[in-house]
Amino acid sequence: MLPNPDVLWKEAALTLRSLRRELMFTVLSVVLLALGIGFASAVFTLLWQAVYAQLPVPEAEQIFTFYTNVTHMGRSDSDASAQTFSVPMYRYLSEHLSVASGMIGRHGETVNMETPNGSQHLPAEFVTGNFFDVLGVKASIGRTFAQRPDHFAAVLSYDFWQEAYGGQANAWNSVLPINGVPFRIIGVAAPGFRGLIPDRAPKLYLPMEAFGDINPGWHGYDDWGLRWLNVFARIPSKIPRATAEAELQPVYRAGVRQELASEGTQPPDYLKELAHEHIFLTPASQGVHGAINRWQEPLRVLQWMTLAVLFLAAINVAGLMVVRAIKQKHETLIRYALGATRTAVMRLHFLQTIALAIGGGVLGLFVARWGAQVLIHLARLDRYSGFVYRPQGWALGAHWTAALLIGLLVGLFPALQAARIDLAAGISEGASTHSGTRSQAFTRRALAAAQIALSLMLAVTAGLFGQALHKLITVPVGFNPEHMTVFSIDAKLAHSTVESTSLLWANLERRLQETADVQAVTYGTGGPFPQESDTAVVIPGASADMAAKHQSGMRSMIGPRYFRTLGIPMVAGREFDDRDRPNTPGVVILNQTLARRLFGDKNPVGQVVTLFNGLDPNWPATVVGVAADHHQSWKYANAKLVYTPAQQARRIQNINYYVRTKDGFLAEPTIQAIVRREAPAISPYDVETMPTRMAEFASGERAMTLLVSVFAALALAIAAAGIYGVVAYGASLRTVEFAVRVSVGARPPDIIRLVAREAVMILACGVVLAAPLTYFGLSIVRHQLEGISFRSPGIYVGAVLLLSICSLTAAWLPARRALRMSVHGTLRHS
């Protein structure tokens, strides 16, 4: 039965006075709980966005995307992890798939915009005319596209409208130049809608039909072989997914037959592969994630680690509350003597811990916001990914639920201790000369041992992540990044032709080569980190002694003397040079892995192959060289790579320049001046050193290692504080015993051993308890540490030594304080 409100108010006031009187204890407890609750809340909020949050559209569970089990040979061009389809295939499915209430397509592209803030290189999304209608997304200002949209119309995202136009209504109906082509802004999308690919978070939406206008030399609206649209369908909830897939299968097969008929003769093994192709519906109620998908598992790992830290903080505060309750035994005895019930005493302890939990929850809100922002930045999820710390109602509810549950858990131990105190026995014993009963001593030691076990588990995990990062960044990459500056340009802004763009690339190379201190210059679309979609390399009429008839590899268009500039050896043949110009026979270079997969031990130089990549279909080329393998992003070795000459490009693309200097790096103002001299409408972007760009490819692993290490260090500090608190309180309760021992001849080392013995026993119990916990923890992070052996004794020994040092240091401080006590004063006041 609950007491009346007046009693509760008085108990609450008494609780606050008690906590204010012991300010150091209160502040320490609130900070510990805030760290645990705040970090757990931050990671949980981001994990919810990555795993559970649905698109902000009506009936998002009805949105599906398509997936097939066969990769069509090099015929894709996508900015997302979703599968791509051609415009003719999209049209065919739209016309024949009756189970879909609507079907839409989208493609992302980075474009140059002349915004009120100046020229900016930002992501845009090309969409079909029914895009907003099928999704049910309304315009906050103006209108969205019609079924047959205006050819040069644009819809801004709400966030971009706020960023670039300050949320001003005059942005509507104004002109926005995109790659030099004027578009009229017809509306602003609804707040919170960031497209179907949250990684991209497009700044604006453009009609699919306008893609060729801002990409001169591109023609792909009627090409069945050019797969560049991510296709989504809305399937009504009343139609089972299996039923929809059953209808989709024959419709798609008929579309593939039309595609094959438009392409002519295909390799027999390719046709055999297509004969077993199936198409599936994949739920897309959350959109299709790329970077977010890559961070789902890491976020789950971090969630377990933050829960461990939260549990550690709770155990620590519970341990402090237990020894505090032992120290306040006289006060509790007096309460019983004055007529207080055990329920009332227990309620006071719960009120104290709930007050501490509320304080930890309030401070934890700030920790959560700061921690989430740091996590987003370290993981590079703030680059167009749509990841923000947005504490909505459910997140705040989870935050405060965790805080109150932790408060009740922490209050349970001291409340039980207080309830078990026997009034008559307590008065007869006196409470000033001992440290509590065996049960009380076991409780606080068990709590401290649990902290040691959790800390050891986190320390071992941090050591393994550090080993993985060291392995990642110390593997030889196979090219020379020293003294190399990298920058990018986008010739589409100048609305150039393919021919003028090729001339611009060559002129910029010459200008840079003439710059003082420059040793070598080249350019390419991907450089040592190819980013284009797969390109199929087919051997027409392959003989029996060849390893395969076709293989796919990642393709880069590169300039002359590319391999010499980057320091990649040529294994056979030659690299591209000034002979490889427009309107000359096509040539190609393969890397060792791809050449071996295609030709086995046969020399590939001089062999004629056909390239399929959708953008340049059925392109015959002669293999003129084989380049040595190198690692991509310091992690992936032996990828299959295809290189084609940039001067033979059939379309305009963003290009990267690689400038090697004798010493240091080329300054950005110098690069700006050279590019502006050749093309006043173009500005270089992403100017950085090659080591910096290389580091970006390992940024996820670096961020994960850093975050795990931070949590491990935090856990170690909490555990050390717990050891210190338990040993210090125990030592303070044994001051009379120490004084008696010193008075009868005990030496300082004897006192230190007495105090340290408890810490060593707690440490030993914690190490034993850590074995099953560590096994459980490593089973969670196993997928994040592929290729790393868990049988590394150095890491386990190092973690135990680190914890031992911290624990013994924490125990040494109260031992040192015990040595400084006044023996006569202690005995006189005992």
Side-chain angles (χ1 to χ4, degrees):
M1 182 177 178
L2 292 175
N4 62 59
D6 289 339
V7 173
L8 280 178
W9 277 113
K10 290 179 180 178
E11 290 180 346
L14 177 62
T15 296
L16 294 178
R17 285 199 302 271
S18 175
L19 293 176
R20 186 176 58 186
R21 186 168 62 248
E22 298 184 77
L23 191 59
M24 184 61 69
F25 163 80
T26 303
V27 170
L28 178 61
S29 300
V30 167
V31 169
L32 287 172
L33 292 176
L35 289 173
I37 296 169
F39 278 120
S41 178
V43 174
F44 176 75
T45 303
L46 297 182
L47 182 64
W48 182 276
Q49 289 187 52
V51 180
Y52 305 109
Q54 292 193 332
L55 293 169
V57 301
E59 298 177 305
E61 70 280 357
Q62 297 182 3
I63 306 298
F64 291 84
T65 188
F66 300 137
Y67 169 76
T68 64
N69 64 332
V70 174
T71 301
H72 288 245
M73 290 193 307
R75 297 172 177 270
S76 64
D77 181 34
S78 178
D79 69 316
S81 57
Q83 194 153 352
T84 52
F85 298 85
S86 66
V87 174
M89 179 62 78
Y90 159 75
R91 291 171 181 156
Y92 188 87
L93 293 175
S94 299
E95 294 169 1
H96 294 86
L97 191 63
S98 61
V99 293
S101 60
M103 193 174 296
I104 57 177
R106 55 79 56 198
H107 173 79
E109 185 87 357
T110 302
V111 298
N112 286 285
M113 309 178 198
E114 293 293 337
T115 70
N117 297 329
S119 178
Q120 293 182 283
H121 202 69
L122 299 171
E125 196 150 279
F126 293 85
V127 299
T128 52
N130 61 344
F131 182 80
F132 292 100
D133 289 342
V134 170
L135 291 176
V137 176
K138 306 297 183 183
S140 57
I141 290 182
R143 65 178 177 87
T144 58
F145 299 131
Q147 290 289 334
R148 299 180 62 85
D150 301 333
H151 196 78
F152 295 106
V155 174
L156 303 181
S157 72
Y158 187 87
D159 293 341
F160 184 60
W161 177 52
Q162 296 289 330
E163 295 168 10
Y165 294 88
Q168 298 297 316
N170 58 10
W172 175 69
N173 209 35
S174 64
V175 173
L176 175 63
I178 300 173
N179 286 3
V181 179
F183 283 74
R184 186 166 298 279
I185 299 173
I186 63 171
V188 177
F193 180 70
R194 295 177 175 83
L196 296 174
I197 315 294
D199 300 52
R200 295 285 300 177
K203 301 299 182 182
L204 79 165
Y205 304 87
L206 303 171
M208 177 184 69
E209 292 77 7
F211 189 75
D213 294 287
I214 66 172
N215 289 277
W218 185 92
H219 304 285
Y221 301 114
D222 300 316
D223 187 349
W224 284 85
L226 175 50
R227 299 170 180 264
W228 63 295
L229 284 182
N230 305 128
V231 178
F232 297 81
R234 183 179 282 278
I235 308 295
S237 302
K238 62 182 180 181
I239 300 177
R241 180 174 165 186
T243 303
E245 287 183 341
E247 180 183 321
L248 172 63
Q249 200 72 266
V251 172
Y252 178 72
R253 298 292 301 169
V256 171
R257 286 194 293 270
Q258 288 204 21
E259 175 186 337
L260 293 174
S262 70
E263 293 181 345
T265 305
Q266 298 291 337
D269 55 342
Y270 176 50
L271 295 176
K272 182 179 179 181
E273 190 178 17
L274 289 181
H276 300 284
E277 182 179 17
H278 293 276
I279 187 167
F280 309 94
L281 288 173
T282 302
S285 60
Q286 300 172 255
V288 177
H289 301 266
I292 296 179
N293 276 344
R294 290 192 299 273
W295 273 90
Q296 282 187 13
E297 285 305 317
L299 282 172
R300 284 192 174 100
V301 170
L302 291 177
Q303 183 186 40
W304 281 104
M305 299 197 76
T306 53
L307 289 176
V309 171
L310 176 58
F311 194 48
L312 266 172
I315 291 174
N316 200 316
V317 176
L320 293 176
M321 291 287 289
V322 166
V323 293
R324 179 172 175 266
I326 296 172
K327 195 173 182 179
Q328 292 179 336
K329 188 174 181 180
H330 269 313
E331 181 181 335
T332 303
L333 288 171
I334 292 172
R335 291 182 189 278
Y336 283 145
L338 293 176
T341 64
R342 296 187 184 276
T343 302
V345 172
M346 292 178 66
R347 190 167 58 241
L348 277 176
H349 283 285
F350 278 117
L351 283 175
Q352 288 181 1
T353 53
I354 289 174
L356 293 175
I358 292 174
V362 172
L363 184 59
L365 290 174
F366 297 97
V367 175
R369 175 175 294 278
W370 173 81
Q373 290 172 346
V374 169
L375 177 59
I376 290 171
H377 177 70
L378 287 175
R380 302 186 68 79
L381 294 173
D382 51 353
R383 302 189 69 180
Y384 316 134
S385 69
F387 252 122
V388 293
Y389 177 68
R390 196 179 295 110
Q392 298 170 339
W394 53 265
L396 292 174
H399 178 95
W400 286 111
T401 299
L404 292 178
L405 287 176
I406 287 298
L408 293 174
L409 176 65
V410 168
L412 181 63
F413 294 98
L416 291 176
Q417 294 282 1
R420 287 202 296 262
I421 293 177
D422 182 80
L423 177 61
I427 293 176
S428 63
E429 290 176 1
S432 62
T433 60
H434 61 84
S435 59
T437 66
R438 289 185 177 182
S439 173
Q440 293 167 339
F442 175 79
T443 299
R444 66 175 188 266
R445 288 167 181 168
L447 291 175
Q451 294 180 62
I452 289 293
L454 283 171
S455 300
L456 185 58
M457 179 192 71
L458 294 180
V460 169
T461 304
L464 290 171
F465 270 94
Q467 185 182 53
L469 178 62
H470 181 265
K471 179 179 179 180
L472 179 68
I473 64 178
T474 55
V475 173
V477 292
F479 59 92
N480 181 13
E482 298 302 320
H483 306 303
M484 180 169 285
T485 307
V486 187
F487 68 90
S488 306
I489 65 167
D490 188 355
K492 293 191 294 291
L493 180 61
H495 205 54
S496 305
T497 63
V498 174
E499 293 75 16
S500 63
T501 299
S502 297
L503 182 61
L504 171 63
W505 290 345
N507 289 342
L508 273 177
E509 179 192 16
R510 178 174 51 81
R511 290 282 190 184
L512 289 164
Q513 188 68 63
E514 294 171 353
T515 305
D517 202 40
V518 171
Q519 286 186 323
V521 180
T522 191
Y523 51 92
T525 52
F529 315 109
Q531 298 171 352
E532 286 195 25
S533 56
D534 283 356
T535 290
V537 183
V538 180
I539 306 175
S543 60
D545 62 336
M546 292 182 179
K549 294 182 179 181
H550 70 83
Q551 288 282 322
S552 292
M554 288 186 288
R555 174 180 176 241
S556 286
M557 295 192 316
I558 59 174
R561 295 164 291 278
Y562 168 86
F563 298 102
R564 186 189 312 169
T565 302
L566 267 70
I568 300 174
M570 293 297 296
V571 176
R574 66 173 179 87
E575 64 175 309
F576 301 138
D577 54 31
D578 296 332
R579 287 174 287 179
D580 306 307
R581 301 185 304 275
N583 303 318
T584 60
V587 291
V588 64
I589 294 175
L590 312 176
N591 77 329
Q592 284 176 286
T593 296
L594 181 55
R596 189 164 44 250
R597 297 282 183 88
L598 279 168
F599 298 96
D601 296 330
K602 186 176 180 179
N603 184 8
V605 176
Q607 297 287 333
V608 176
V609 297
T610 302
L611 304 181
F612 289 84
N613 62 21
L615 301 173
D616 304 308
N618 302 317
W619 182 10
T622 301
V623 179
V624 297
V626 177
D629 289 337
H630 66 271
H631 292 270
Q632 293 180 58
S633 69
W634 291 1
K635 186 173 184 180
Y636 304 104
N638 301 328
K640 296 179 291 183
L641 307 179
V642 183
Y643 302 94
T644 58
Q647 286 297 314
Q648 292 184 350
R650 303 182 182 185
R651 60 191 174 97
I652 299 174
Q653 288 187 260
N654 302 351
I655 206 83
N656 300 324
Y657 275 83
Y658 306 91
V659 185
R660 187 179 300 282
T661 52
K662 296 177 183 177
D663 189 24
F665 300 94
L666 195 62
E668 183 171 354
T670 303
I671 295 172
Q672 295 274 3
I674 293 172
V675 174
R676 293 281 174 82
R677 193 180 309 136
E678 288 296 324
I682 296 176
S683 296
Y685 61 95
D686 289 345
V687 181
E688 55 193 356
T689 68
M690 176 62 89
T692 300
R693 181 160 294 192
M694 290 170 65
E696 291 180 359
F697 287 90
S699 59
E701 289 80 2
R702 289 178 184 273
M704 192 65 185
T705 302
L706 177 60
L707 290 167
V708 170
S709 300
V710 166
F711 285 127
L714 183 61
L716 192 64
I718 292 175
I723 291 287
Y724 171 79
V726 170
V727 176
Y729 270 114
S732 67
L733 296 173
R734 299 175 66 185
T735 53
V736 174
E737 175 191 343
F738 294 157
V740 172
R741 288 179 180 272
V742 170
S743 65
V744 296
R747 295 175 301 169
D750 300 325
I751 303 299
I752 293 177
R753 277 196 295 271
L754 284 173
V755 176
R757 184 182 301 164
E758 185 174 19
V760 171
M761 183 174 61
I762 292 171
L763 178 63
C765 293
V767 170
V768 172
L769 183 61
L773 277 178
T774 303
Y775 179 82
F776 171 73
L778 295 184
S779 67
I780 295 174
V781 302
R782 186 175 299 277
H783 293 299
Q784 295 296 311
L785 295 169
E786 291 184 5
I788 299 299
S789 174
F790 289 172
R791 299 176 181 178
S792 180
I795 292 177
Y796 298 95
V797 172
V800 171
L801 285 176
L802 183 61
L803 271 171
S804 301
I805 292 171
C806 293
S807 301
L808 293 177
T809 301
W812 177 77
L813 294 174
R816 187 164 174 260
R817 184 184 304 159
L819 290 176
R820 293 180 175 179
M821 67 180 175
S822 172
V823 175
H824 299 293
T826 301
L827 294 176
R828 185 169 57 251
H829 292 94
S830 61

